[in-house]
Amino acid sequence: MSATFSAGEGEQPGRIMSGEVAEQPGVLRRILGQGAPGIREVAAGIAAKNPRFVLLAARGTSDNAALYAKYLLEIQLGLPCGLASMSTTTAYGAKPDLRDVLVITVSQSGGSPDLVASTRAAREAGAITLAVTNNPDSPLAAVSEYHIDILAGPEKALPATKTYTASLLSLYLFVEGLRGGDATAAAILPELAEVILARRDEVKTLASRYRFAERMVITSRGYGYPTAKEAALKLMETSYIPALSYSGADLLHGPLAMVDNISPVIAVVTDGRGGQALQPVLDRLRGRGADLFVVGPKAQVEAASAGFVLPTAGVAEEVQPILEILPLQMLAYEVTIARGQDPDAPRALAKVTETR
């Protein structure tokens, strides 16, 4: 089966983003086939060094992929993890002791100066360094001890889509390699991705509901939280709708007060413990009369104002984020088109963002 979410004709707005969203099942297959042996080799080399702690460094979409890796590493391996503050070394010149610490830097291009500089500084401070990029010839790959190529192919659209899911799958395979797992939970992902992307008309209908939204709130818990953050980023950078992402727990600690029956709330309900932890939040949102859009299991969607049913029955919770983001990428695309804008040309954005 091939995905029907495909590029349009001629110079149709959004044709590049649309085409790259459609490539994702093929990218996932390429990683599972061509990429898996190299990822296992990298994992074996790092596992032999027995890191005691993990720091993750990234920006933008890659930062959300890094957050997913944090959940994987802490839950699957029990390794404490932190998200690095790169300015401590690049701006303030701090020199932390990073002996026996694994520093994972995630970057699509591998070209941002702060990522390169912080990784170089980490290696000089004794860290085990791993770059996860879509460019094996990048400066980041060059300064890192280890490298994983996510094999997404050239990404031409400004909003990252296929590199995000490619990063997630590559990081999942890496963590599986660290713990000696067989990664069989990922085998079904390309097929299910095709099924989801074939439901473009369903998403287009849902998008018409949110065409005139002035803001959105997106929430989840556990493995779904990085999906909520990435969906918010996609909506903001393509449609310019202010989209606020919160852990469900954090939403209850104050921001719930801004929820009303006008601004939509998107809830990413992972089928598993994360979804169970989110249930009290969903109950509170329904109690406030929120326009609740659920991405998740059928029973959760049926209890909401609207939603997209994910085919997650029998799918391991830890790999569901690779599927969860797909309808939300399509939603961002369709809302942007409905608002008369071009998701291929977001204002004020460049493909490689250089921060220092």
Side-chain angles (χ1 to χ4, degrees), residues 135-217:
N135 183 2
D137 299 319
S138 64
L140 180 59
V143 301
S144 299
E145 183 178 0
Y146 295 93
H147 177 256
I148 289 175
D149 184 353
I150 65 172
L151 298 175
E155 186 164 63
K156 300 175 183 177
L158 283 174
T161 53
K162 64 183 182 181
T163 51
Y164 180 67
T165 50
S167 296
L168 296 191
L169 180 55
S170 297
L171 288 163
Y172 168 75
L173 294 177
F174 170 68
V175 174
E176 280 290 280
L178 286 179
R179 74 184 192 96
D182 58 16
T184 54
I188 193 65
L189 295 177
E191 178 184 340
L192 293 180
E194 286 182 334
V195 170
I196 291 169
L197 293 176
R199 294 162 62 188
R200 177 179 182 176
D201 288 344
E202 182 181 339
V203 176
K204 190 173 184 177
T205 299
L206 290 167
S208 65
R209 180 185 181 98
Y210 304 112
R211 176 180 179 182
F212 299 108
E214 295 185 0
R215 73 174 182 207
M216 291 187 179
V217 173

Side-chain angles (χ1 to χ4, degrees), residues 215-253:
R215 73 174 182 207
M216 291 187 179
V217 173
I218 308 178
T219 188
S220 189
R221 290 204 69 181
Y223 285 114
Y225 181 41
T227 306
K229 290 177 68 67
E230 174 62 12
L233 178 59
K234 286 284 113 30
L235 282 162
M236 288 189 288
E237 68 185 356
T238 56
S239 70
Y240 317 141
I241 296 174
L244 307 174
S245 59
Y246 294 98
S247 157
D250 288 331
L251 185 64
L252 296 183
H253 283 267

Side-chain angles (χ1 to χ4, degrees), residues 263-315:
S263 299
V265 177
I266 298 176
V268 180
V269 185
T270 304
D271 191 0
R273 294 187 182 184
Q276 294 166 12
L278 189 64
Q279 191 59 53
V281 182
L282 300 176
D283 293 341
R284 291 285 299 276
L285 289 168
R286 282 190 287 264
R288 290 189 60 81
D291 180 355
L292 182 60
F293 178 109
V294 165
V295 174
K298 183 177 180 181
Q300 296 290 351
V301 172
E302 289 178 344
S305 307
F308 187 99
V309 177
L310 283 176
T312 53
V315 179

